[in-house]
Amino acid sequence: MKTLWIIANWKSHKTIAEALQWIDELAPVLQTKEQVHVVVCPDFTALEEVKKSIQVSNLPLWVGSQDLSPFPEGPHTGEESAQMIKGLVELAVLGHSERRRELGETDAMIKEKVDQAKKVGIVPLVCVQDSKTPIPEGVDLVAYEPIFAIGTGAPDTPENAQNVAATIKKTHQVAVLYGGSVDSANVLSFLNQDDIQGVLIGGASLDAKEFSKILKKVYEKA
Ligand code: PGA
């Protein structure tokens, strides 16, 4: 049985109070299963409180950031260095297409971010838009997220996502996740593909009930 990654990407949503409410609602649904890694990626402001509430209840839930600085700790105003957040997160989503488009993030910057994450033991998850997007050395986890499918309700077909995942794996030793309009109705169609090892979920992860539905399906399959 392959390890499955189920990752909630909240983007710029949820106050600290809303984040904690979501954790409370999800807690009874979470199961400890070696082959299922569930990760929640809140906004930077909620990382600490989310981490604390997970620790207090000893929940089988990882915390991820949605980005981190390409620079080490130092004179970099406004940047969140890997060093600063290493006690709060296990994973960092890097190179999301929204950041590439809206903030001009480049492949070179993403490589620096990967290096910073790895230096402190944070797992970098790099988002790629197709099989040609460069994947920096040392990356073990990649999310294939076609731009047309993000937030549109029009996901890629599981067959095409499988083809892209297989193409990426021909040249890189990575686990490939799929992201783009994943919800409780379609999640298994992606996870049933041989080369897809998880999902990165935006919109459908915001509602604890919908995310719980997704998790229940995944646990049944695992
Ligand atoms: P979506 O976003 O699930 O809302 O399409 C996925 C993502 O951008 O990570």
Side-chain angles (χ1 to χ4, degrees):
M1 176 72 211
K2 58 188 182 183
T3 300
L4 297 175
W5 294 85
I6 312 300
I7 304 184
N9 176 15
W10 287 351
K11 309 188 180 184
S12 274
H13 290 286
K14 290 198 191 292
T15 61
I16 293 172
E18 288 164 349
L20 294 178
Q21 170 77 28
W22 186 95
I23 301 282
D24 278 353
E25 283 182 53
L26 201 73
V29 176
L30 288 167
Q31 295 180 24
T32 305
K33 288 211 179 202
E34 216 179 300
Q35 62 279 41
V36 182
H37 291 313
V38 184
V39 187
V40 61
C41 303
D43 181 272
F44 279 113
T45 54
L47 286 182
E48 186 173 356
E49 291 299 324
V50 164
K51 183 70 178 180
K52 275 193 217 156
S53 95
I54 289 171
Q55 281 173 335
V56 164
S57 307
N58 199 18
L59 300 175
L61 180 60
W62 274 18
V63 182
S65 63
Q66 301 170 18
D67 183 35
L68 51 73
S69 177
F71 307 113
E73 185 182 346
H76 310 290
T77 303
E79 285 297 285
E80 307 284 353
S81 77
Q83 192 68 31
M84 292 300 172
I85 60 167
K86 76 172 180 209
L88 300 176
V89 305
E90 285 87 10
L91 177 145
V93 175
L94 301 176
H96 193 285
S97 60
E98 285 156 5
R99 298 192 58 82
R100 294 178 193 256
R101 184 182 70 239
E102 295 170 351
L103 295 153
E105 206 164 282
T106 63
D107 292 325
M109 286 161 75
I110 293 157
K111 185 188 172 311
E112 295 300 325
K113 293 179 182 208
V114 166
D115 290 347
Q116 292 300 325
K118 292 205 62 139
K119 263 188 206 154
V120 300
I122 295 173
V123 174
L125 164 61
V126 172
C127 300
V128 302
Q129 289 66 60
D130 52 44
S131 60
K132 294 190 185 74
T133 311
I135 299 170
E137 227 172 273
V139 170
D140 300 318
L141 264 187
V142 160
Y144 161 56
E145 293 208 314
I147 287 168
F148 66 80
I150 295 179
T152 58
D156 201 348
T157 61
E159 295 72 23
N160 192 55
Q162 159 60 28
N163 284 340
V164 173
T167 305
I168 291 171
K169 283 168 72 96
K170 271 188 205 151
T171 47
H172 296 85
Q173 275 204 328
V174 291
V176 182
L177 282 51
Y178 168 75
S181 299
V182 172
D183 59 22
S184 61
N186 64 27
V187 64
L188 289 188
S189 66
F190 291 101
L191 296 181
N192 285 336
Q193 304 300 317
D194 285 349
D195 291 305
I196 296 182
Q197 256 186 263
V199 281
L200 181 55
I201 309 170
S205 75
L206 292 172
D207 176 17
K209 284 191 188 63
E210 171 65 2
F211 195 66
S212 298
K213 260 199 210 171
I214 293 173
L215 284 189
K216 281 182 192 158
K217 290 198 169 179
V218 175
Y219 289 138
E220 272 169 34
K221 173 187 161 60

